Amino acid sequence: MTETPTKLANLSASWEAEARQWIQWARAPGHDSYWRFHRDQFLRLLPPPGRQTLDIGCGEGRLARDLKQLGHRIIGVDSSPSLVTAARESDPSMDVRLADACALPLDDACTDLAVAFMSLQDIDEMPAAIREAARVLQPGGRLCLAIVHPINSAGKFEEATADAQFVIKGDYLHAFRYADAVERNGLAITFNSQHRPLEHYFLALEEAGFLVEALREPALPDHCIIVGPGRRWQRIPYFLHLRAVRP
């Protein structure tokens, strides 16, 4: 499977440029969805700790640190030198490697669990990253991933009201780059990502030999609704979670 090439700076370089802002954003407890609900919803999809857990696109390491606390033996990989440095500094005992997700510095069949938490939409060659995940997983090993739900990256609500219409004005069925500039509680960051339809992800999983075991479409939980307009996000999923097995 191939995707439309882009002349923009690659996503890895874009995230390295935002590394300082991301470290501040990611490490502010309670600041974003990770702390309020997203992490816990994702963890329900994971099998228990086993032989070894690979965190693909580990960033500054917040999920890797949480997984380690839960008993996982972690190897983290990321292509951003600044984020790898931050992850190592936060826990020098953790194995964090500077590497491309499409060329993992790991042996074949060396791990039983790979997680890609909110990273695949930020990788230019997503199908190659999924093939690499399949290569390093032992038979029966699992890949658990979370991405921005493609319906979310394709469209938007027309206004900030509980009953606002959600509209896709562009092209859902083809990949395209997008950038979301967000400011909240004095912190600002631009998220650079690639929209892909669901078919692109499922074709990549199919071609890498994965079988999908579970799929979830998390919406905003009740406890996260502060004012009524936020309920619009209980009608459209924020994210997509998926667990697949390498037979």
Side-chain angles (χ1 to χ4, degrees), residues 144-198:
C144 294
L145 64 90
I147 57 172
V148 174
H149 198 293
I151 197 171
N152 190 340
S153 57
K156 63 180 180 179
F157 287 104
E158 290 192 310
E159 54 187 351
T161 61
D163 59 353
Q165 290 191 5
F166 186 87
V167 178
I168 296 176
K169 293 183 178 180
D171 187 346
Y172 169 86
L173 289 174
H174 294 88
F176 59 84
R177 280 280 297 273
Y178 67 96
D180 280 337
V182 183
E183 185 173 354
R184 186 186 306 143
N185 301 328
L187 298 178
I189 185 172
T190 298
F191 293 94
N192 293 282
S193 300
Q194 180 96 347
H195 165 80
R196 300 176 175 98
L198 280 173

Short mmCIF file of all heavy atoms in Angstrom, two decimals, residues 144-198:
data_model
loop_
_atom_site.label_atom_id
_atom_site.label_comp_id
_atom_site.label_asym_id
_atom_site.label_seq_id
_atom_site.Cartn_x
_atom_site.Cartn_y
_atom_site.Cartn_z
N CYS A 144 -1.05 -2.98 20.23
CA CYS A 144 -2.15 -2.15 20.71
C CYS A 144 -1.86 -0.71 20.31
O CYS A 144 -0.78 -0.19 20.60
CB CYS A 144 -2.29 -2.25 22.23
SG CYS A 144 -2.78 -3.90 22.79
N LEU A 145 -2.82 -0.08 19.65
CA LEU A 145 -2.57 1.27 19.14
C LEU A 145 -3.73 2.19 19.47
O LEU A 145 -4.88 1.76 19.65
CB LEU A 145 -2.31 1.23 17.63
CG LEU A 145 -3.44 0.76 16.71
CD1 LEU A 145 -4.32 1.93 16.26
CD2 LEU A 145 -2.85 0.06 15.47
N ALA A 146 -3.40 3.47 19.56
CA ALA A 146 -4.39 4.53 19.70
C ALA A 146 -4.02 5.60 18.69
O ALA A 146 -2.85 5.96 18.54
CB ALA A 146 -4.40 5.10 21.11
N ILE A 147 -5.03 6.10 17.99
CA ILE A 147 -4.83 7.18 17.02
C ILE A 147 -5.95 8.20 17.18
O ILE A 147 -6.99 7.93 17.79
CB ILE A 147 -4.81 6.67 15.56
CG1 ILE A 147 -6.12 5.93 15.24
CG2 ILE A 147 -3.59 5.80 15.29
CD1 ILE A 147 -6.29 5.56 13.77
N VAL A 148 -5.73 9.41 16.65
CA VAL A 148 -6.83 10.33 16.46
C VAL A 148 -7.85 9.65 15.55
O VAL A 148 -7.48 9.13 14.49
CB VAL A 148 -6.35 11.65 15.82
CG1 VAL A 148 -7.53 12.55 15.48
CG2 VAL A 148 -5.38 12.37 16.75
N HIS A 149 -9.10 9.61 15.96
CA HIS A 149 -10.09 8.94 15.12
C HIS A 149 -10.16 9.66 13.76
O HIS A 149 -10.24 10.89 13.71
CB HIS A 149 -11.47 8.97 15.79
CG HIS A 149 -12.43 7.98 15.22
ND1 HIS A 149 -12.92 8.09 13.93
CD2 HIS A 149 -12.97 6.85 15.73
CE1 HIS A 149 -13.73 7.08 13.69
NE2 HIS A 149 -13.78 6.31 14.77
N PRO A 150 -10.12 8.91 12.66
CA PRO A 150 -10.11 9.56 11.34
C PRO A 150 -11.31 10.47 11.08
O PRO A 150 -11.18 11.45 10.33
CB PRO A 150 -10.08 8.38 10.37
CG PRO A 150 -9.38 7.30 11.12
CD PRO A 150 -9.85 7.46 12.54
N ILE A 151 -12.45 10.20 11.67
CA ILE A 151 -13.56 11.12 11.47
C ILE A 151 -13.27 12.46 12.14
O ILE A 151 -13.67 13.52 11.67
CB ILE A 151 -14.90 10.52 11.99
CG1 ILE A 151 -16.08 11.29 11.38
CG2 ILE A 151 -14.96 10.50 13.49
CD1 ILE A 151 -17.43 10.66 11.65
N ASN A 152 -12.52 12.41 13.24
CA ASN A 152 -12.14 13.63 13.97
C ASN A 152 -11.16 14.46 13.16
O ASN A 152 -11.28 15.69 13.07
CB ASN A 152 -11.53 13.21 15.32
CG ASN A 152 -11.32 14.37 16.27
OD1 ASN A 152 -11.26 15.52 15.87
ND2 ASN A 152 -11.18 14.05 17.53
N SER A 153 -10.17 13.81 12.55
CA SER A 153 -9.18 14.56 11.78
C SER A 153 -9.71 15.03 10.43
O SER A 153 -9.14 15.93 9.81
CB SER A 153 -7.91 13.73 11.58
OG SER A 153 -8.17 12.50 10.94
N ALA A 154 -10.82 14.44 9.96
CA ALA A 154 -11.38 14.83 8.66
C ALA A 154 -12.34 16.01 8.76
O ALA A 154 -12.53 16.73 7.79
CB ALA A 154 -12.10 13.64 8.02
N GLY A 155 -12.99 16.19 9.91
CA GLY A 155 -14.02 17.22 10.01
C GLY A 155 -13.93 17.99 11.31
O GLY A 155 -12.98 17.87 12.07
N LYS A 156 -14.96 18.79 11.57
CA LYS A 156 -15.00 19.58 12.80
C LYS A 156 -16.43 20.03 13.07
O LYS A 156 -17.29 20.05 12.18
CB LYS A 156 -14.09 20.79 12.70
CG LYS A 156 -14.47 21.80 11.64
CD LYS A 156 -13.51 22.97 11.61
CE LYS A 156 -13.89 23.99 10.54
NZ LYS A 156 -12.95 25.15 10.55
N PHE A 157 -16.67 20.38 14.33
CA PHE A 157 -17.95 20.97 14.69
C PHE A 157 -17.99 22.41 14.20
O PHE A 157 -17.00 23.13 14.26
CB PHE A 157 -18.15 20.94 16.21
CG PHE A 157 -18.45 19.56 16.75
CD1 PHE A 157 -17.48 18.84 17.42
CD2 PHE A 157 -19.71 19.01 16.59
CE1 PHE A 157 -17.76 17.58 17.92
CE2 PHE A 157 -20.00 17.75 17.07
CZ PHE A 157 -19.02 17.03 17.74
N GLU A 158 -19.17 22.82 13.75
CA GLU A 158 -19.30 24.17 13.21
C GLU A 158 -19.31 25.23 14.30
O GLU A 158 -19.01 26.40 14.04
CB GLU A 158 -20.58 24.27 12.38
CG GLU A 158 -20.50 23.48 11.08
CD GLU A 158 -21.62 23.81 10.13
OE1 GLU A 158 -22.78 23.80 10.56
OE2 GLU A 158 -21.33 24.10 8.95
N GLU A 159 -19.65 24.85 15.54
CA GLU A 159 -19.63 25.78 16.65
C GLU A 159 -19.51 25.02 17.95
O GLU A 159 -19.65 23.79 17.98
CB GLU A 159 -20.90 26.65 16.66
CG GLU A 159 -22.18 25.85 16.66
CD GLU A 159 -23.41 26.74 16.49
OE1 GLU A 159 -23.24 27.97 16.53
OE2 GLU A 159 -24.51 26.19 16.32
N ALA A 160 -19.25 25.72 19.04
CA ALA A 160 -19.02 25.10 20.34
C ALA A 160 -20.32 25.04 21.14
O ALA A 160 -20.46 25.66 22.19
CB ALA A 160 -17.95 25.85 21.11
N THR A 161 -21.28 24.26 20.64
CA THR A 161 -22.53 24.05 21.35
C THR A 161 -22.79 22.55 21.42
O THR A 161 -22.25 21.76 20.63
CB THR A 161 -23.71 24.73 20.64
OG1 THR A 161 -23.85 24.18 19.32
CG2 THR A 161 -23.49 26.23 20.55
N ALA A 162 -23.62 22.14 22.37
CA ALA A 162 -23.86 20.72 22.59
C ALA A 162 -24.47 20.05 21.36
O ALA A 162 -24.20 18.88 21.09
CB ALA A 162 -24.77 20.53 23.80
N ASP A 163 -25.31 20.79 20.61
CA ASP A 163 -25.98 20.20 19.45
C ASP A 163 -25.39 20.67 18.12
O ASP A 163 -26.04 20.57 17.07
CB ASP A 163 -27.48 20.52 19.49
CG ASP A 163 -27.75 22.03 19.49
OD1 ASP A 163 -26.78 22.81 19.58
OD2 ASP A 163 -28.94 22.41 19.39
N ALA A 164 -24.16 21.15 18.15
CA ALA A 164 -23.51 21.64 16.92
C ALA A 164 -23.42 20.54 15.87
O ALA A 164 -23.24 19.37 16.19
CB ALA A 164 -22.12 22.17 17.24
N GLN A 165 -23.53 20.94 14.60
CA GLN A 165 -23.37 19.99 13.51
C GLN A 165 -21.89 19.69 13.30
O GLN A 165 -21.05 20.59 13.36
CB GLN A 165 -23.97 20.55 12.22
CG GLN A 165 -25.48 20.63 12.23
CD GLN A 165 -26.04 20.92 10.86
OE1 GLN A 165 -25.32 20.97 9.87
NE2 GLN A 165 -27.35 21.10 10.79
N PHE A 166 -21.61 18.42 13.06
CA PHE A 166 -20.25 18.01 12.72
C PHE A 166 -20.18 17.87 11.21
O PHE A 166 -20.99 17.16 10.61
CB PHE A 166 -19.89 16.68 13.40
CG PHE A 166 -18.46 16.27 13.21
CD1 PHE A 166 -17.47 16.71 14.08
CD2 PHE A 166 -18.08 15.45 12.15
CE1 PHE A 166 -16.14 16.34 13.90
CE2 PHE A 166 -16.76 15.08 11.96
CZ PHE A 166 -15.79 15.53 12.84
N VAL A 167 -19.21 18.54 10.60
CA VAL A 167 -19.18 18.64 9.14
C VAL A 167 -17.81 18.21 8.60
O VAL A 167 -16.77 18.62 9.13
CB VAL A 167 -19.48 20.09 8.68
CG1 VAL A 167 -19.38 20.20 7.17
CG2 VAL A 167 -20.86 20.52 9.16
N ILE A 168 -17.82 17.39 7.58
CA ILE A 168 -16.61 17.06 6.82
C ILE A 168 -16.71 17.82 5.50
O ILE A 168 -17.50 17.48 4.62
CB ILE A 168 -16.49 15.55 6.57
CG1 ILE A 168 -16.32 14.81 7.90
CG2 ILE A 168 -15.29 15.26 5.66
CD1 ILE A 168 -16.29 13.30 7.77
N LYS A 169 -15.93 18.88 5.39
CA LYS A 169 -15.98 19.72 4.19
C LYS A 169 -14.96 19.30 3.14
O LYS A 169 -15.08 19.65 1.98
CB LYS A 169 -15.74 21.18 4.58
CG LYS A 169 -16.86 21.78 5.42
CD LYS A 169 -16.61 23.25 5.71
CE LYS A 169 -17.76 23.86 6.50
NZ LYS A 169 -17.54 25.31 6.80
N GLY A 170 -13.94 18.56 3.57
CA GLY A 170 -12.89 18.18 2.64
C GLY A 170 -13.04 16.75 2.17
O GLY A 170 -14.14 16.29 1.84
N ASP A 171 -11.95 16.02 2.17
CA ASP A 171 -11.87 14.69 1.59
C ASP A 171 -11.49 13.69 2.67
O ASP A 171 -10.35 13.65 3.11
CB ASP A 171 -10.83 14.70 0.47
CG ASP A 171 -10.79 13.39 -0.31
OD1 ASP A 171 -11.36 12.40 0.16
OD2 ASP A 171 -10.18 13.37 -1.39
N TYR A 172 -12.44 12.87 3.11
CA TYR A 172 -12.15 11.86 4.13
C TYR A 172 -11.30 10.73 3.56
O TYR A 172 -10.45 10.19 4.25
CB TYR A 172 -13.46 11.28 4.69
CG TYR A 172 -13.24 10.06 5.55
CD1 TYR A 172 -12.96 10.19 6.91
CD2 TYR A 172 -13.27 8.77 5.00
CE1 TYR A 172 -12.72 9.07 7.69
CE2 TYR A 172 -13.04 7.65 5.78
CZ TYR A 172 -12.76 7.80 7.13
OH TYR A 172 -12.52 6.69 7.90
N LEU A 173 -11.52 10.34 2.31
CA LEU A 173 -11.00 9.09 1.78
C LEU A 173 -9.54 9.13 1.35
O LEU A 173 -8.98 8.09 0.99
CB LEU A 173 -11.86 8.61 0.62
CG LEU A 173 -13.26 8.11 1.02
CD1 LEU A 173 -14.08 7.80 -0.22
CD2 LEU A 173 -13.15 6.88 1.91
N HIS A 174 -8.91 10.31 1.37
CA HIS A 174 -7.51 10.40 0.97
C HIS A 174 -6.68 11.01 2.10
O HIS A 174 -7.18 11.81 2.89
CB HIS A 174 -7.35 11.23 -0.31
CG HIS A 174 -7.97 10.58 -1.51
ND1 HIS A 174 -9.30 10.78 -1.84
CD2 HIS A 174 -7.47 9.73 -2.43
CE1 HIS A 174 -9.58 10.07 -2.93
NE2 HIS A 174 -8.48 9.44 -3.30
N ALA A 175 -5.43 10.60 2.16
CA ALA A 175 -4.54 11.10 3.21
C ALA A 175 -4.17 12.56 2.95
O ALA A 175 -4.02 12.98 1.80
CB ALA A 175 -3.27 10.24 3.26
N PHE A 176 -4.02 13.31 4.03
CA PHE A 176 -3.54 14.68 3.91
C PHE A 176 -2.91 15.11 5.23
O PHE A 176 -3.26 14.62 6.29
CB PHE A 176 -4.67 15.66 3.53
CG PHE A 176 -5.83 15.71 4.50
CD1 PHE A 176 -5.78 16.51 5.64
CD2 PHE A 176 -6.97 14.96 4.26
CE1 PHE A 176 -6.85 16.56 6.52
CE2 PHE A 176 -8.05 15.01 5.13
CZ PHE A 176 -7.99 15.82 6.27
N ARG A 177 -1.95 16.01 5.11
CA ARG A 177 -1.30 16.57 6.30
C ARG A 177 -2.16 17.65 6.91
O ARG A 177 -2.87 18.38 6.21
CB ARG A 177 0.06 17.17 5.91
CG ARG A 177 1.17 16.15 5.75
CD ARG A 177 1.76 15.71 7.08
NE ARG A 177 2.39 16.82 7.78
CZ ARG A 177 3.65 17.21 7.60
NH1 ARG A 177 4.42 16.58 6.74
NH2 ARG A 177 4.14 18.22 8.28
N TYR A 178 -2.11 17.77 8.23
CA TYR A 178 -2.80 18.87 8.89
C TYR A 178 -2.03 19.28 10.14
O TYR A 178 -1.20 18.52 10.66
CB TYR A 178 -4.24 18.49 9.26
CG TYR A 178 -4.37 17.42 10.33
CD1 TYR A 178 -4.57 17.76 11.67
CD2 TYR A 178 -4.34 16.06 10.00
CE1 TYR A 178 -4.71 16.78 12.64
CE2 TYR A 178 -4.48 15.09 10.97
CZ TYR A 178 -4.67 15.45 12.30
OH TYR A 178 -4.81 14.49 13.26
N ALA A 179 -2.28 20.49 10.58
CA ALA A 179 -1.64 21.03 11.77
C ALA A 179 -2.70 21.69 12.64
O ALA A 179 -3.48 22.52 12.15
CB ALA A 179 -0.56 22.04 11.39
N ASP A 180 -2.73 21.31 13.90
CA ASP A 180 -3.65 21.90 14.88
C ASP A 180 -2.85 22.72 15.87
O ASP A 180 -2.05 22.19 16.64
CB ASP A 180 -4.42 20.81 15.64
CG ASP A 180 -5.58 20.25 14.84
OD1 ASP A 180 -6.06 20.96 13.94
OD2 ASP A 180 -6.01 19.12 15.14
N ALA A 181 -3.05 24.03 15.84
CA ALA A 181 -2.42 24.92 16.82
C ALA A 181 -3.37 25.06 18.00
O ALA A 181 -4.50 25.53 17.84
CB ALA A 181 -2.12 26.27 16.19
N VAL A 182 -2.92 24.65 19.19
CA VAL A 182 -3.78 24.61 20.36
C VAL A 182 -3.12 25.39 21.49
O VAL A 182 -1.91 25.29 21.72
CB VAL A 182 -4.03 23.15 20.81
CG1 VAL A 182 -4.99 23.11 21.99
CG2 VAL A 182 -4.57 22.32 19.65
N GLU A 183 -3.93 26.16 22.22
CA GLU A 183 -3.46 26.87 23.40
C GLU A 183 -4.44 26.62 24.53
O GLU A 183 -5.66 26.74 24.36
CB GLU A 183 -3.35 28.37 23.12
CG GLU A 183 -2.74 29.15 24.28
CD GLU A 183 -2.46 30.60 23.95
OE1 GLU A 183 -2.64 30.98 22.77
OE2 GLU A 183 -2.08 31.35 24.86
N ARG A 184 -3.90 26.25 25.70
CA ARG A 184 -4.75 25.96 26.84
C ARG A 184 -3.96 26.18 28.13
O ARG A 184 -2.84 25.71 28.25
CB ARG A 184 -5.26 24.51 26.78
CG ARG A 184 -6.27 24.12 27.86
CD ARG A 184 -6.60 22.65 27.81
NE ARG A 184 -7.02 22.24 26.47
CZ ARG A 184 -6.70 21.07 25.93
NH1 ARG A 184 -5.95 20.21 26.58
NH2 ARG A 184 -7.12 20.77 24.73
N ASN A 185 -4.56 26.91 29.06
CA ASN A 185 -3.95 27.14 30.37
C ASN A 185 -2.53 27.66 30.29
O ASN A 185 -1.65 27.25 31.06
CB ASN A 185 -3.99 25.84 31.20
CG ASN A 185 -5.39 25.32 31.42
OD1 ASN A 185 -6.34 26.10 31.50
ND2 ASN A 185 -5.54 24.01 31.49
N GLY A 186 -2.29 28.55 29.33
CA GLY A 186 -0.98 29.16 29.20
C GLY A 186 0.04 28.34 28.44
O GLY A 186 1.18 28.78 28.27
N LEU A 187 -0.33 27.15 27.96
CA LEU A 187 0.57 26.31 27.18
C LEU A 187 0.07 26.25 25.74
O LEU A 187 -1.14 26.23 25.49
CB LEU A 187 0.64 24.89 27.75
CG LEU A 187 1.18 24.76 29.18
CD1 LEU A 187 1.14 23.31 29.63
CD2 LEU A 187 2.61 25.30 29.27
N ALA A 188 1.01 26.23 24.80
CA ALA A 188 0.65 26.21 23.38
C ALA A 188 1.51 25.21 22.64
O ALA A 188 2.70 25.02 22.95
CB ALA A 188 0.80 27.60 22.77
N ILE A 189 0.92 24.55 21.65
CA ILE A 189 1.65 23.60 20.82
C ILE A 189 0.93 23.45 19.49
O ILE A 189 -0.29 23.66 19.40
CB ILE A 189 1.76 22.21 21.51
CG1 ILE A 189 2.65 21.27 20.69
CG2 ILE A 189 0.39 21.61 21.77
CD1 ILE A 189 2.96 19.95 21.39
N THR A 190 1.69 23.11 18.45
CA THR A 190 1.10 22.76 17.16
C THR A 190 1.29 21.27 16.93
O THR A 190 2.43 20.77 16.91
CB THR A 190 1.75 23.56 16.01
OG1 THR A 190 1.50 24.96 16.22
CG2 THR A 190 1.15 23.14 14.67
N PHE A 191 0.18 20.55 16.79
CA PHE A 191 0.21 19.12 16.53
C PHE A 191 0.25 18.92 15.01
O PHE A 191 -0.70 19.27 14.31
CB PHE A 191 -1.02 18.44 17.11
CG PHE A 191 -1.08 18.46 18.61
CD1 PHE A 191 -1.78 19.46 19.27
CD2 PHE A 191 -0.44 17.49 19.36
CE1 PHE A 191 -1.86 19.49 20.65
CE2 PHE A 191 -0.50 17.51 20.74
CZ PHE A 191 -1.20 18.50 21.40
N ASN A 192 1.34 18.34 14.52
CA ASN A 192 1.49 18.05 13.09
C ASN A 192 1.24 16.56 12.86
O ASN A 192 1.93 15.71 13.44
CB ASN A 192 2.91 18.41 12.63
CG ASN A 192 3.15 19.90 12.69
OD1 ASN A 192 2.71 20.65 11.82
ND2 ASN A 192 3.85 20.36 13.71
N SER A 193 0.26 16.25 12.03
CA SER A 193 -0.16 14.87 11.86
C SER A 193 -0.60 14.61 10.43
O SER A 193 -0.64 15.52 9.59
CB SER A 193 -1.31 14.54 12.83
OG SER A 193 -0.92 14.73 14.17
N GLN A 194 -0.96 13.35 10.18
CA GLN A 194 -1.44 12.92 8.87
C GLN A 194 -2.82 12.30 9.04
O GLN A 194 -2.98 11.33 9.79
CB GLN A 194 -0.48 11.89 8.25
CG GLN A 194 -0.90 11.38 6.89
CD GLN A 194 -0.23 12.12 5.74
OE1 GLN A 194 0.36 13.16 5.96
NE2 GLN A 194 -0.33 11.58 4.55
N HIS A 195 -3.81 12.87 8.38
CA HIS A 195 -5.11 12.21 8.32
C HIS A 195 -5.03 11.04 7.36
O HIS A 195 -4.49 11.15 6.26
CB HIS A 195 -6.20 13.17 7.84
CG HIS A 195 -7.45 12.44 7.42
ND1 HIS A 195 -8.38 11.99 8.33
CD2 HIS A 195 -7.90 12.05 6.19
CE1 HIS A 195 -9.34 11.36 7.68
NE2 HIS A 195 -9.08 11.38 6.40
N ARG A 196 -5.58 9.91 7.80
CA ARG A 196 -5.73 8.74 6.93
C ARG A 196 -7.11 8.14 7.20
O ARG A 196 -7.54 8.07 8.36
CB ARG A 196 -4.66 7.68 7.21
CG ARG A 196 -3.23 8.15 7.01
CD ARG A 196 -2.25 7.05 7.40
NE ARG A 196 -0.87 7.41 7.11
CZ ARG A 196 -0.02 7.90 8.01
NH1 ARG A 196 -0.41 8.10 9.26
NH2 ARG A 196 1.21 8.19 7.67
N PRO A 197 -7.81 7.65 6.19
CA PRO A 197 -9.07 6.96 6.45
C PRO A 197 -8.80 5.63 7.15
O PRO A 197 -7.68 5.10 7.12
CB PRO A 197 -9.66 6.75 5.05
CG PRO A 197 -8.47 6.73 4.15
CD PRO A 197 -7.48 7.69 4.75
N LEU A 198 -9.83 5.09 7.76
CA LEU A 198 -9.68 3.81 8.45
C LEU A 198 -9.10 2.73 7.55
O LEU A 198 -8.30 1.90 7.99
CB LEU A 198 -11.05 3.34 8.97
CG LEU A 198 -11.56 3.97 10.25
CD1 LEU A 198 -12.98 3.51 10.52
CD2 LEU A 198 -10.66 3.60 11.42
#
